[in-house]
Amino acid sequence: MQPFVYNALPARVIFGWDTSEQVADEVLRLGCKRAIVLTTAQQVSSGQKVLKDLGDLGVGIYSNATMHTPIHITLDALKVAQELQADVCVAVGGGSTIGLGKALALHSSNEKKLKQIAIPTTYAGSEATPIIGQTEIDKEAKSLKTTQRTLNVLPDVIIYDINLTLTLPTQMTTTSGLNAIAHAVEALWAPEANPIISNLALQGIKAISQSFPLIRKDPKDPKGRSNALFGAWSCGTCLGAVGMSLHHKLCHTLGGTFGMPHAETHAIILPHAVAYNAPFATDEVEEIRIALNLQQGISAAQGLFDVLENNNIPCSLKELGFKQEDLRRAAEIAVRSPYPNPAPLEEEKIFHLLSNAYHGIRPAI
């Protein structure tokens, strides 16, 4: 056994069926009395149910959570939270909503720092991480996404309620699940990799990949949904414990700078990022292949690409509306600042990776 360092994150996790009904007890456990519920415009009904479960502890809903956590949305939500004298935010939804909860915790004053309860309804895994990505407008009026890691944004409580995921559309289930798998994949070759997180990463990959055919056959399959949500926690915990590499850098570039949709972009980039790193991380890629339960002769990268095709998910950046003329700029941004990655970061090779992803070309072995 090689020497390693592992830092466990302080968080309370509640997992099961109908667990969101315990939200009022969790607010009181945190010593709070005034909870604001956060949602996107599309998930107000879910937020209203949680507000009802909060009873007298609920003070209102803010329903304008937005993808990539724009700063101006955060400041607007913070103003509303302050006017309502909220002392805790309850984020109900996916990465956009949970990201807003993190941003409120980060930007609230130390004296009146908002505590956080996250109730995920997708498999993005952001709730399990001390990482926040925010989008700002630079001096040239261009969108720029920045990422930081700080325990100040780690939710105090995560409530996983399998019931809240039963109506998640099958396509969104797949893209969100692949987004989660990306966290686990990169955790395997992170500089801080350790046997605890590596085992959790493989367990998460296996759980989510096994859930796909079950949910495709029956979107409300209890085993499929519970496996997917457990896998999301596993993969999110990996993202929170170790650093990420090329895949996440590319997705943050495409999302923050070019406005690409978060989960779909992760799903499309993942097979190509795995193929890029495969010659320099052969053991880890073989472990991924085994966790995905792929037949001999199908690489991990190919297996991940096939998940897209088998579930009628867009396989190319072109299908998402990305402009071919922006490929070069995206490659340039991706190599601007050094970061750890198994394979050397070469702009021309990354441009080739992005070109393959743009056209939806299945990775070669």
Side-chain angles (χ1 to χ4, degrees):
M1 179 65 67
Q2 295 294 320
F4 67 90
V5 174
Y6 169 60
N7 291 312
L9 295 176
R12 176 174 167 83
V13 177
I14 301 168
F15 186 97
W17 301 85
D18 298 319
T19 49
S20 61
E21 295 176 4
Q22 303 174 34
V23 64
D25 292 338
E26 295 305 315
V27 168
L28 292 174
R29 185 186 290 271
L30 290 174
C32 298
K33 298 179 180 179
R34 299 181 65 83
I36 182 172
V37 177
L38 309 176
T39 73
T40 61
Q42 294 76 29
Q43 291 190 297
V44 173
S45 59
S46 296
Q48 288 174 334
K49 179 190 178 301
V50 170
L51 189 65
K52 182 180 179 181
D53 290 333
L54 284 165
D56 294 339
L57 298 173
V59 296
I61 292 181
Y62 183 86
S63 59
N64 198 28
T66 304
M67 186 170 59
H68 304 308
T69 321
I71 288 291
H72 71 277
I73 295 293
T74 298
L75 297 178
D76 182 54
L78 185 60
K79 180 181 177 182
V80 173
Q82 290 170 340
E83 289 173 349
L84 294 173
Q85 297 182 315
D87 53 9
V88 60
C89 60
V90 181
V92 184
S96 297
T97 307
I98 291 167
L100 177 59
K102 290 180 170 185
L104 292 183
L106 182 67
H107 291 278
S108 56
S109 65
N110 291 331
E111 298 79 17
K112 296 182 179 180
K113 183 178 180 296
L114 280 170
K115 293 189 177 181
Q116 296 179 74
I117 296 176
I119 305 180
T121 60
T122 69
Y123 307 125
S126 173
E127 68 280 352
T129 78
I131 301 169
I132 181 171
Q134 303 178 97
T135 305
E136 303 179 62
I137 305 299
D138 64 17
K139 295 179 180 179
E140 299 177 357
K142 294 181 179 178
S143 180
L144 180 65
K145 188 169 185 177
T146 58
T147 303
Q148 62 176 299
R149 179 184 288 263
T150 168
L151 286 176
N152 289 332
V153 304
L154 183 70
D156 300 280
V157 180
I158 310 169
I159 300 176
Y160 289 105
D161 188 340
I162 302 164
N163 276 324
L164 296 182
T165 67
L166 295 181
T167 57
L168 189 67
T170 304
Q171 284 195 333
M172 193 178 297
T173 293
T174 305
T175 55
S176 183
L178 286 170
N179 182 9
I181 286 175
H183 308 330
V185 164
E186 292 212 307
L188 290 170
W189 50 62
E192 309 92 339
N194 61 76
I196 299 166
I197 291 301
S198 294
N199 285 332
L200 195 60
L202 294 171
Q203 193 173 6
I205 294 170
K206 183 177 180 180
I208 293 178
S209 63
Q210 287 180 343
S211 77
F212 288 150
L214 296 175
I215 294 171
R216 186 167 65 243
K217 183 178 180 180
D218 176 8
K220 295 187 177 183
D221 183 272
K223 183 178 180 181
R225 287 297 180 183
S226 59
N227 279 355
L229 196 57
F230 172 76
W233 171 77
S234 301
C235 296
T237 300
C238 294
L239 176 63
V242 300
M244 296 290 109
S245 306
L246 174 64
H247 170 85
H248 282 77
K249 178 69 174 181
L250 288 175
C251 291
H252 286 169
T253 298
L254 295 171
T257 303
F258 300 97
M260 301 300 290
H262 184 82
E264 293 89 341
T265 301
H266 273 270
I268 289 171
I269 291 295
L270 180 58
H272 303 283
V274 170
Y276 185 98
N277 282 317
F280 296 84
T282 54
D283 291 343
E284 293 84 355
V285 169
E286 176 60 15
E287 289 180 317
I288 295 167
R289 194 191 68 78
I290 293 171
L292 292 170
N293 194 31
L294 299 175
Q295 296 178 358
Q296 287 293 338
I298 299 178
S299 70
Q302 290 174 327
L304 291 166
F305 183 90
D306 293 344
V307 171
L308 297 173
E309 287 200 324
N310 294 340
N311 290 277
N312 297 315
I313 304 299
C315 298
S316 69
L317 294 176
K318 183 178 182 180
E319 292 175 84
L320 299 184
F322 192 79
K323 298 178 181 178
Q324 188 170 7
E325 57 265 30
D326 286 332
L327 289 172
R328 177 60 65 183
R329 181 166 171 242
E332 292 172 352
I333 294 173
V335 297
R336 276 182 187 171
S337 56
Y339 49 92
N341 190 69
L345 301 172
E346 301 177 28
E347 183 180 320
E348 207 56 41
K349 290 185 177 180
I350 291 176
F351 174 75
H352 181 67
L353 180 164
L354 290 170
S355 297
N356 286 342
Y358 173 81
H359 292 288
I361 299 173
R362 187 175 187 255
I365 294 180

